[in-house]
Amino acid sequence: MSRTTLPFVLVGLIAAFAAQCSSALSFAPDLEGRTSSASKSRADFLRSIAVGAVGGAVSLASAPTAASAAADVAGLKPKLTNLSDGELKKIIAADMIERSFLVSADLTREIYDERSVFTDEIDSYPIDKWVKGTQKLFVAEGSRVNLVGDVDVSPTKVEFRFDEDLMFRIPFRPVVSLSGSVVLDRDAESGLITGYREIWDQDVNAVLKTAKMKAADGSMKPFPIIGGLLK
């Protein structure tokens, strides 16, 4: 399944889990024997689940109109151009540590070019769709994001590592755990971020097997649907 925005993947996730709950769908045939690259992105994981989505799922959000997109841009704060490496490092570290932007999408937009592109292995999408899709896909207050080590900044790129627990905004609120790195491309003239790429350390199956859900006693238990399918 090809996708261009996270909200559409959310539809697939909901449909796939609904089908699993009725014992009408198995992911195993899709995942077994699948060739893995050295690293996997969040998009790989979402696509692996979304392939099982049943047809006719109702979209949770319509695509933004040109008028609404223009209004969003008009309300943005001025861009923070030509920041020093130290200033940019401080902002990105705060976005990670204080605002958990990987799951909340609460990033400092002033340091991003509005033409910045968020890319996975097969698709690219603009910052506005990434922000709105991330907010709809993840439960920020039920997720955990840690910055691992330092934020490395140069005139052309920014790199940092993370580990996280992702809670999906779908039935049962499953949580998966993973680690990886983020690479942000930086424009040499303006200093603004023009590209985002997230890379996972684990492959799809490994991440799926970490799925948990909250039990009646409040503890986190292995998610039975995923665990049973990937044994």
Side-chain angles (χ1 to χ4, degrees), residues 6-7 10 14 60-62 103-105 130-139 168-170:
L6 288 174
L10 177 57
I14 293 174
L60 298 182
S62 59
V103 293
S104 68
W130 182 87
V131 168
K132 292 177 180 178
T134 298
Q135 291 170 342
K136 291 180 181 297
L137 186 58
F138 301 114
V139 180
F168 292 99
R169 197 179 298 279
I170 59 176

Side-chain angles (χ1 to χ4, degrees), residues 191-209:
L192 295 175
I193 294 168
T194 58
Y196 170 105
R197 185 169 75 257
E198 180 178 326
I199 304 166
W200 284 6
D201 296 331
Q202 301 83 9
D203 63 24
V204 173
N205 279 14
V207 174
L208 285 169
K209 288 177 181 179

